[in-house]
Amino acid sequence: MVTLSHNLSAQTFTLTGRVVDENANPIEFASVSVMSQGRATMTNLKGEFDMKLRSEDSVVVKFSMIGYKSKTRVLRRPRSKQTLRIVLHSDNELAEVVVTEQRKQTGTIQKIDKKDVNSMPSTTGNAVEELIKSQAGVSSHDELSSQYNVRGGSFDENCVYINNVEIYRPFLVRSGQQEGLSIINPDMVESIEFSTGGFEAKYGDKMSSVLDIKYRRPKRLEAKVSASMLGAGVYVGIANKKMAWSNSVRYKTNRYLLGTLDTKGEYSPNFLDYQTYFSYKPHKKWTIDFIGNISDNHYNFTPEDRETRFGTLENVKNFKVYFDGQEKDVFRTFFGTLGITGQLDKNTKVAFHTSAFHTREQEKYDIQGQYWLTQSETSEELGVGTYMEHARNYLTANVQSFKLSLDHKRGHHDIKAGFTYKIERIEENSSNYEMRDSSGYSIPHTGEDLHLIYTLKSRNKLHAQRSETYIQDTYKFNSRGGHTFFTLNYGLRMSHWNFNHETILSPRVSLGIVPAFNHNVVFRVAAGLYYQAPFFKELRDTTTIDGVTQARLNDKIKSQRSIHFIGGADYRFKMKERNYKFSAEIYYKALNDLIPYSVNNVKITYDGQNKCSGHAMGIDLKLYGEFVPGTDSWVSFSYMNARQKLNGKSIPLPTDQRYALNLFFTDYFPGTERWKMSLKLAYADGLPFGPPHKGAEMMSFRAPAYKRADIGMSYLAFDGKTKKKKNIIKNIWVGLDCLNLFDISNVNSYYWITDVTNHQYAIPNYLTGRQINARVMIDF
């Protein structure tokens, strides 16, 4: 009997099979393991697997994949060859908490976990953008703004999509104080995908990044109510077998934060946003989706006085201003998109999307300031004078788009193609001037006549049509041995704009490799030709005659161009039974036909002509994982060099942030998971700057580094999962945030004053100070 038992245990058998999802689609890279024998393998691109095992009385085989419910099969005395077909079902609950970054990223788009967006301390209320700011290669120097720079690109070089439709922003916003709520509603988001370069041909003509948002269809009645000292929001979702409908109303006011600025006065910012997402399935193969958004943003400001101390310990200057006047701004936008998607057969899907964007904006201010600049140590008067700023800026924009797309899977190929037609109408009427008086003399002082230091008049209309088309293929294949996996994406994008009669072609390619020697390693390379198709702001070419600057639309403008070369790798590993992922990417972007620009706060002013060439190169590093068991944290570091050549002179790009370090850390209090702490740190190099209205070549100064720490404490006051009886309330979280924990005075921009001798002083405009924010969130 002992000999017979020994012979049976020595027998082997072959286990083969296929792992698919509920729709019979193969699941690649699923884990197939027999823990008792220490054997494991992964499914290939067809979801297939095979492995040799010892025959025993019972062999327990486990099938698992992130985002799916694990499944176990017990084989009784298996012999010879066993074949299984395993269906894994998606785990909706797991999808809310899973570390999604542990999925293999074989392309240039990374999936970002959205579970921490509601627990992060936030100053803007735009949680998704604040999450993006903490990623490697991304930078921001203004906690009041949701805008960000990617690898040396400007704010305008970032493409944003919601449910496959491109999103537009208001045009006249010049400061973070004026910004309202982003159109991206974090309560409605299902997935976040982000690329810092080398992205696929299906994404639009931008040079820097892509943020691809998908909204989720609620599966049952659900609701959320949130409130804080910075705003409030209500979300409600309902669903049945054929229909899902979600609605959200958000309100934001940053008056509380603005009270920490140097400029004191009556701040009255009010930002209101309503958003709806309706999805209907009249047939199992057809879906109709509608997204609507109304945003009504008002920024009213009556300044009173300002006092700013700046300089060094040995050389302290004091700037004191008393104000008259006020500012009244309105940014009212409407956005809607209708999509129809049909599954023609098992492998072919077709979709039609139409969208409309409308914005009506006005910026009006008349503000006079009487200032004194003194040397603090000696009370010496360095400058005294008056300045007056006037603006009457009005803009109306309408953009309609029609998009037809096709998705066809054939074998190892996933082919996507699309065509988009856009109609663009923009009308602008602007009048601005600045008057400066130093010691009773108007600047600039000639002794003969009177001039304002700056005057701008602009009255323009843009009526244009734009067509875009793309085709791309994602080809997944194995090596001959079947243990090395390749993902090849290649495609071509073409667009034409009738305003400047320009046609551009954008070929793009990327390759991801999962090597046979270690399936926890992924290598990526990508290259492509990317264009920044001009829009309204890039077209404004200015000329100055008799002291008055006129802005006209330059119909000779060309698209800016960037050639991307990217190489990267991911390494997944475990330490003390915790999951981690280390990512590294190096990149080089060759830039041509650049349009010089300057940045003041968040306002970008373009030169209006293609004058420059340049480059951006650097390295991005990121470590992501469970720094503390059961939580997600990450640290990222970026180093970059971004320069341009203007009029034969090499100068830094306005976004030349040489280094940046970001940390997001979460932890639970010892002995309990009810108390949770979130810490957000940012340390980034300052950006180049120069005097206003002087052009990019005069940006010979560099601002101090941006340093900020925000910490938030959250307490789970009610947990419905622990109650035996069903509760309407799912959970209640209450929290307390300390924003700008160390009360660091970060510089956002500079105000320049000029004395009668034409000597200029740059007065720093400091951002917000330390502030406490209380919040509560109730899930139903």
Side-chain angles (χ1 to χ4, degrees):
M1 287 292 292
V2 175
T3 304
L4 178 60
S5 175
H6 174 76
N7 290 336
L8 283 173
S9 64
Q11 292 178 357
T12 62
F13 72 100
T14 300
L15 178 64
T16 66
R18 193 165 185 253
V19 180
V20 298
D21 62 17
E22 307 101 308
N23 299 318
N25 297 314
I27 300 177
E28 58 189 48
F29 306 132
S31 174
V32 184
S33 60
V34 180
M35 301 305 295
S36 62
Q37 299 185 20
R39 299 295 307 277
T41 188
M42 298 176 70
T43 58
N44 63 17
L45 300 175
K46 295 181 179 180
E48 299 169 344
F49 66 92
D50 68 85
M51 57 195 308
K52 285 190 177 296
L53 300 167
R54 295 193 310 271
S55 182
E56 298 174 346
D57 287 343
S58 63
V59 177
V60 181
V61 187
K62 183 178 180 180
F63 302 87
S64 61
M65 179 63 186
I66 293 175
Y68 295 87
K69 294 180 180 179
S70 299
K71 187 168 286 189
T72 301
R73 286 288 181 267
V74 179
L75 308 179
R76 303 294 181 183
R77 296 182 181 179
R79 303 285 182 88
S80 184
K81 184 176 181 180
Q82 301 284 323
T83 302
L84 299 176
R85 185 179 185 273
I86 303 298
V87 179
L88 296 184
H89 297 272
S90 61
D91 189 343
N92 294 324
E93 292 185 1
L94 180 64
E96 293 295 324
V97 298
V98 70
V99 182
T100 58
E101 284 208 344
Q102 291 297 316
R103 296 186 181 185
K104 287 183 172 63
Q105 180 192 334
T106 56
T108 55
I109 293 281
Q110 61 172 315
K111 296 180 183 293
I112 297 179
D113 192 352
K114 68 180 180 66
K115 74 172 187 177
D116 293 308
V117 297
N118 290 319
S119 62
M120 293 179 71
S122 171
T123 53
T124 66
N126 300 320
V128 173
E129 286 87 345
E130 295 205 17
L131 184 64
I132 295 299
K133 288 180 182 181
S134 66
Q135 305 302 310
V138 184
S139 64
S140 173
H141 290 75
D142 188 350
E143 65 269 10
L144 293 172
S145 173
S146 62
Q147 302 196 55
Y148 51 87
N149 305 111
V150 178
R151 291 181 174 175
S154 72
F155 304 138
D156 295 332
E157 296 176 21
N158 305 314
C159 202
V160 180
Y161 287 84
I162 296 180
N163 285 18
N164 301 309
V165 175
E166 188 174 357
I167 302 303
Y168 296 89
R169 301 177 62 93
F171 292 80
L172 294 182
V173 172
R174 74 179 195 283
S175 69
Q177 292 95 306
Q178 298 171 307
E179 280 194 27
L181 289 156
S182 161
I183 190 175
I184 302 173
N185 189 322
D187 293 331
M188 302 172 72
V189 170
E190 179 178 45
S191 66
I192 304 172
E193 296 185 335
F194 182 65
S195 173
T196 52
F199 39 89
E200 302 169 6
K202 68 177 182 178
Y203 295 115
D205 297 308
K206 301 285 187 179
M207 291 200 300
S208 290
S209 75
V210 164
L211 177 59
D212 192 354
I213 302 294
K214 294 292 190 298
Y215 276 1
R216 64 186 178 90
R217 302 175 79 252
K219 293 182 170 52
R220 61 185 71 86
L221 177 62
E222 59 186 26
K224 178 184 289 186
V225 177
S226 59
S228 76
M229 300 172 72
L230 301 177
V234 177
Y235 162 80
V236 177
I238 59 175
N240 57 33
K241 290 183 179 180
K242 287 193 173 185
M243 180 271 294
W245 189 19
S246 54
N247 292 271
S248 176
V249 176
R250 295 178 294 165
Y251 171 77
K252 168 188 168 182
T253 177
N254 52 14
R255 179 187 310 177
Y256 179 58
L257 276 177
L258 300 181
T260 65
L261 299 177
D262 284 349
T263 302
K264 307 303 179 182
E266 184 181 343
Y267 290 94
S268 182
N270 293 286
F271 310 116
L272 186 65
D273 173 276
Y274 167 72
Q275 199 158 155
T276 183
Y277 173 38
F278 180 80
S279 182
Y280 176 63
K281 292 181 73 72
H283 187 272
K284 64 180 181 179
K285 292 186 177 182
W286 291 90
T287 304
I288 301 173
D289 294 316
F290 173 77
I291 296 177
N293 174 252
I294 301 173
S295 181
D296 190 28
N297 301 322
H298 296 258
Y299 177 75
N300 298 325
F301 174 43
T302 304
E304 294 176 358
D305 59 72
R306 165 184 175 172
E307 185 168 8
T308 301
R309 294 171 65 87
F310 64 101
T312 63
L313 289 175
E314 296 80 16
N315 183 15
V316 181
K317 294 179 174 60
N318 189 72
F319 181 63
K320 180 72 175 180
V321 190
Y322 292 98
F323 294 103
D324 288 315
Q326 62 179 344
E327 176 176 357
K328 290 188 175 183
D329 305 328
V330 179
F331 305 93
R332 187 173 290 117
T333 62
F334 302 86
F335 172 77
T337 174
L338 177 68
I340 302 173
T341 305
Q343 193 78 38
L344 301 184
D345 57 42
K346 186 176 71 171
N347 298 317
T348 306
K349 182 169 65 176
V350 65
F352 174 76
H353 291 87
T354 181
S355 68
F357 169 80
H358 170 80
T359 181
R360 184 180 293 274
E361 306 170 25
Q362 70 173 31
E363 183 183 44
K364 301 189 299 184
Y365 56 83
D366 289 284
I367 295 176
Q368 175 181 277
Q370 295 177 323
Y371 66 85
W372 289 262
L373 179 65
T374 58
Q375 190 74 36
S376 296
E377 298 87 350
T378 62
S379 297
E380 177 188 357
E381 194 172 84
L382 302 177
V384 60
T386 303
Y387 66 84
M388 172 75 178
E389 296 180 343
H390 164 92
R392 292 293 184 272
N393 299 327
Y394 304 92
L395 184 141
T396 302
N398 294 279
V399 180
Q400 294 88 37
S401 71
F402 307 89
K403 179 179 180 181
L404 181 65
S405 58
L406 177 72
D407 188 346
H408 177 69
K409 293 180 174 62
R410 184 172 184 178
H412 294 174
H413 296 268
D414 184 359
I415 302 170
K416 299 180 187 293
F419 174 79
T420 304
Y421 180 73
K422 298 179 180 178
I423 303 172
E424 303 161 348
R425 293 185 176 89
I426 301 175
E427 297 185 5
E428 171 205 31
N429 186 5
S430 298
S431 174
N432 298 263
Y433 67 76
E434 292 181 30
M435 182 276 289
R436 293 187 192 174
D437 179 283
S438 179
S439 301
Y441 293 93
S442 180
I443 303 297
H445 177 60
T446 64
E448 297 179 357
D449 44 17
L450 181 66
H451 288 290
L452 296 176
I453 196 168
Y454 179 70
T455 303
L456 171 69
K457 292 188 178 295
S458 177
R459 194 179 186 93
N460 292 299
K461 291 184 179 181
L462 172 68
H463 292 176
Q465 292 83 43
R466 194 188 305 262
S467 57
E468 304 169 348
T469 186
Y470 69 88
I471 184 169
Q472 69 174 50
D473 177 30
T474 302
Y475 176 42
K476 298 184 176 182
F477 58 98
N478 303 350
S479 63
R480 287 190 176 182
H483 299 295
T484 300
F485 301 94
F486 299 89
T487 302
L488 174 66
N489 178 274
Y490 55 97
L492 178 67
R493 185 177 186 87
M494 181 178 72
S495 66
H496 176 79
W497 199 30
N498 73 341
F499 181 78
N500 62 355
H501 306 289
E502 181 186 35
T503 300
I504 53 178
L505 292 173
S506 176
R508 309 173 186 181
V509 62
S510 67
L511 176 66
I513 304 172
V514 181
F517 65 81
N518 191 338
H519 284 174
N520 289 318
V521 175
V522 179
F523 297 106
R524 292 186 303 274
V525 292
L529 177 59
Y530 294 83
Y531 287 92
Q532 178 76 19
F535 201 35
F536 183 75
K537 288 196 288 186
E538 294 97 319
L539 300 178
R540 299 174 82 245
D541 186 12
T542 57
T543 56
T544 302
I545 302 174
D546 295 331
V548 178
T549 302
Q550 296 279 350
R552 63 175 184 86
L553 302 184
N554 180 11
D555 60 2
K556 306 298 182 184
I557 201 82
K558 294 191 298 183
S559 297
Q560 302 176 87
R561 188 178 69 185
S562 175
I563 304 176
H564 291 196
F565 301 96
I566 299 171
D570 296 338
Y571 174 54
R572 302 188 305 165
F573 61 96
K574 282 194 173 185
M575 184 182 297
K576 295 183 179 181
E577 298 304 315
R578 303 176 198 167
N579 293 317
Y580 292 90
K581 186 177 82 167
F582 176 73
S583 302
E585 277 195 356
I586 57 174
Y587 61 91
Y588 181 85
K589 299 196 291 188
L591 309 174
N592 289 285
D593 293 327
L594 295 182
I595 305 171
Y597 65 90
S598 59
V599 182
N600 184 17
N601 204 312
V602 299
K603 182 180 180 180
I604 300 177
T605 303
Y606 290 91
D607 184 273
Q609 297 182 23
N610 303 94
K611 291 182 176 180
C612 297
S613 61
H615 72 265
M617 60 182 178
I619 182 170
D620 295 330
L621 307 174
K622 182 179 178 181
L623 177 63
Y624 178 97
E626 297 180 67
F627 294 10
V628 174
T631 67
D632 300 337
S633 304
W634 61 88
V635 58
S636 65
F637 175 77
S638 301
Y639 176 80
M640 180 184 67
N641 176 271
R643 300 188 70 84
Q644 61 183 338
K645 193 171 184 179
L646 176 61
N647 298 326
K649 181 182 178 182
S650 177
I651 59 175
L653 280 167
T655 53
D656 179 38
Q657 178 184 275
R658 295 171 295 190
Y659 58 85
L661 178 66
N662 288 285
L663 169 71
F664 178 71
F665 177 75
T666 54
D667 193 5
Y668 290 103
F669 277 50
T672 179
E673 292 189 356
R674 283 185 173 269
W675 282 97
K676 185 177 182 181
M677 183 274 292
S678 299
L679 175 66
K680 189 168 62 172
L681 300 177
Y683 187 91
D685 186 26
L687 297 177
F689 74 95
H693 318 305
K694 299 296 184 181
E697 63 270 21
M698 297 299 293
M699 292 191 301
S700 55
F701 306 96
R702 188 174 288 269
Y706 181 84
K707 304 177 286 288
R708 187 175 174 90
D710 298 323
I711 189 170
M713 312 294 261
S714 300
Y715 175 65
L716 182 57
F718 178 84
D719 187 0
K721 294 181 180 179
T722 62
K723 307 297 180 181
K724 293 182 179 180
K725 295 182 179 180
K726 286 189 176 182
N727 288 277
I728 297 177
I729 299 177
K730 185 178 178 182
N731 57 59
I732 300 176
W733 285 92
V734 294
L736 195 67
D737 300 336
C738 183
L739 306 173
N740 197 358
L741 177 64
F742 302 114
D743 199 25
I744 298 173
S745 297
N746 288 303
V747 179
N748 170 255
S749 59
Y750 288 84
Y751 184 78
W752 293 75
I753 65 171
T754 308
D755 64 19
V756 71
T757 63
N758 214 31
H759 183 78
Q760 289 189 314
Y761 296 90
I763 315 299
N765 295 319
Y766 292 119
L767 286 163
T768 59
R770 183 192 295 122
Q771 200 70 297
I772 301 296
N773 179 39
R775 51 188 168 79
V776 61
M777 183 173 66
I778 306 174
D779 279 324
F780 297 90

